[in-house]
Amino acid sequence: PEKVAIQYSKYELWYFCAIGNNKVREEIVQRFDKFEWKAATLIHPSVIIARNVSIGIGSYIGAGSILCPNVTIGKHVIINVRAAIGHDSILDNFSQINPGAQINGGCRIGQGAMVGSNASILPGKSIGNKASVGANSQVLRNVKAGSTVNGVPATVLAR
């Protein structure tokens, strides 16, 4: 990026970081921020967005997704295709929601956390920072930071 920054220093540069690994995506964004490049936010035209939804810069929202009222999405969040985010939920910076996941109302997904494909998070539950929820899991309880959970109901695999 240093060579690009020098070569195009006269221009306003935009970027989008589509790396799926949340930690790596955050590291790359931090490098780009040093050059004052602008992060693009990408939202597929088929996404249904209710009123009072806040979407942070650099985020991606895939086709067929639904964002219910009063949802707050942080910076550089990935919401993949056909995901649903329930009312009053918060997705912190660099979190990732994979295809078909269902985040019910009043949930919080912590910074750098990942919710696997077709997973379901019950209303009012929180997924801690850097935690992972396995594909097809159903989360009935809060998930602690750094934990990995999987299954129906989701149980802790690692901390």
Side-chain angles (χ1 to χ4, degrees):
E2 290 80 8
K3 289 181 183 179
V4 172
I6 292 168
Q7 184 175 355
Y8 296 99
S9 62
K10 297 177 185 175
Y11 303 98
E12 180 178 87
L13 295 182
W14 288 77
Y15 74 94
F16 180 77
C17 188
I19 294 173
N21 181 306
N22 296 340
K23 181 181 178 186
V24 173
R25 187 168 70 256
E26 185 172 3
E27 290 170 358
I28 289 173
V29 165
Q30 288 173 354
R31 285 182 66 193
F32 289 177
D33 284 348
K34 290 178 185 176
F35 301 111
E36 297 182 8
W37 295 350
K38 297 184 186 298
T41 301
L42 304 178
I43 302 171
H44 192 275
S46 68
V47 173
I48 297 170
I49 303 174
R51 294 180 186 189
N52 302 323
V53 172
S54 172
I55 302 172
I57 63 166
S59 292
Y60 166 78
I61 305 172
S65 293
I66 300 170
L67 307 178
C68 292
N70 301 315
V71 165
T72 301
I73 299 169
K75 297 176 184 179
H76 303 280
V77 171
I78 294 175
I79 300 174
N80 219 310
V81 298
R82 300 178 337 274
I85 313 300
H87 66 88
D88 301 301
S89 290
I90 299 170
L91 280 60
D92 287 335
N93 298 341
F94 299 99
S95 59
Q96 180 176 172
I97 310 301
N98 285 298
Q102 303 291 306
I103 310 300
N104 283 283
C107 291
R108 183 174 198 124
I109 310 300
Q111 182 164 329
M114 189 277 299
V115 176
S117 297
N118 299 311
S120 178
I121 313 299
L122 266 55
K125 302 304 173 210
S126 63
I127 309 299
N129 295 344
K130 296 181 174 61
S132 295
V133 175
N136 300 307
S137 296
Q138 186 174 44
V139 175
L140 306 177
R141 296 176 193 86
N142 294 335
V143 176
K144 292 182 180 181
S147 297
T148 299
V149 300
N150 192 40
V152 179
T155 57
V156 177
L157 295 178
R159 286 204 171 111

